[in-house]
Amino acid sequence: MGNRRELSQQLLLTIALLLAAFGTAQAKSFESALDPPRWAVKSLLASGIEVWPGDLGGAAYTVSRHLSPNYVEGDFDGDGKSDIAILIRRKADDKFGMAILLRAQAKSGTKATILGAGSPFGTGGNDFRRMDAWSVQSQESFPPKIRSAWKGPQPKTKRDGLVLQKRGSTEALVTYDGAKFVWTPYGG
């Protein structure tokens, strides 16, 4: 009878340890899914974007976690390396937008490109608050006019764009043309 009780206690302890370990792994996985990649953090901070609440006093912007995912990765400049677009909020007036970091530029210390968040961008205005979904789309899916619009030497690989959407409404495609980001009404 004593052995059975010890065995039950050991089994319960093993299960508890496994659950605790699984919970910790899940928490780390969840946490890392909200945080931008390490390579991007320095450039975000240099751009006046608070990555974690309270980590950069006086920052004009903070990373917004109002949509999931709060950042996406894609090769926006066609150099074969992942870039990121991350949702931000301007603290002064609560206007939403995004910061885009091209990985090649981040290494050289170039600041993020801010779209929206108080700065007008295309017909999207200066506040992307109405956006409730976004995703990365490959160049193969771009309309021909956008696919062929590139300033300067052709990119090494196919590039990606960002589809911004208000469900049930017109979408926009945000692409990099080799010099700047461009807003194009898209879908519908």
Side-chain angles (χ1 to χ4, degrees):
M1 188 86 154
N3 280 344
R4 224 181 209 180
R5 186 173 186 177
E6 282 180 29
L7 189 58
S8 292
Q9 287 176 339
Q10 285 179 342
L11 184 60
L12 286 174
L13 180 61
T14 302
I15 291 170
L17 289 171
L18 286 171
L19 287 173
F22 178 75
T24 302
Q26 288 298 92
K28 284 182 182 174
S29 171
F30 179 73
E31 179 181 295
S32 65
L34 295 176
D35 295 335
R38 286 193 171 148
W39 67 263
V41 172
K42 186 176 180 180
S43 289
L44 289 170
L45 294 173
S47 302
I49 300 168
E50 182 180 78
V51 178
W52 302 280
D55 71 350
L56 189 61
Y61 305 94
T62 187
V63 168
S64 175
R65 290 170 171 81
H66 74 283
L67 285 181
S68 182
N70 71 323
Y71 78 89
V72 293
E73 293 184 67
D75 184 4
F76 304 123
D77 59 359
D79 68 355
K81 298 175 185 164
S82 284
D83 308 305
I84 71 161
I86 189 164
L87 297 173
I88 60 171
R89 177 184 57 84
R90 188 164 73 174
K91 292 178 176 183
D93 53 12
D94 277 347
K95 291 189 177 182
F96 291 89
M98 68 182 77
I100 301 179
L101 283 170
L102 301 176
R103 192 173 197 146
Q105 292 178 347
K107 286 184 178 182
S108 67
T110 303
K111 293 182 180 180
T113 300
I114 306 291
L115 306 175
S119 300
F121 178 61
T123 56
N126 66 4
D127 188 1
F128 295 178
R129 180 179 310 273
R130 67 187 176 278
M131 181 178 86
D132 60 10
W134 68 331
S135 61
V136 174
Q137 186 175 74
S138 175
Q139 178 177 328
E140 287 106 15
S141 303
F142 296 178
K145 180 180 174 185
I146 297 171
R147 211 174 320 140
S148 63
W150 185 265
K151 299 186 176 10
Q154 286 299 306
K156 294 178 189 176
T157 63
K158 293 188 169 140
R159 66 194 199 278
D160 296 319
L162 293 164
V163 175
L164 311 182
Q165 177 179 352
K166 168 73 176 153
R167 287 191 176 97
S169 181
T170 303
E171 299 174 340
L173 178 62
V174 175
T175 55
Y176 186 68
D177 71 1
K180 66 183 181 315
F181 287 93
V182 179
W183 173 287
T184 305
Y186 183 66

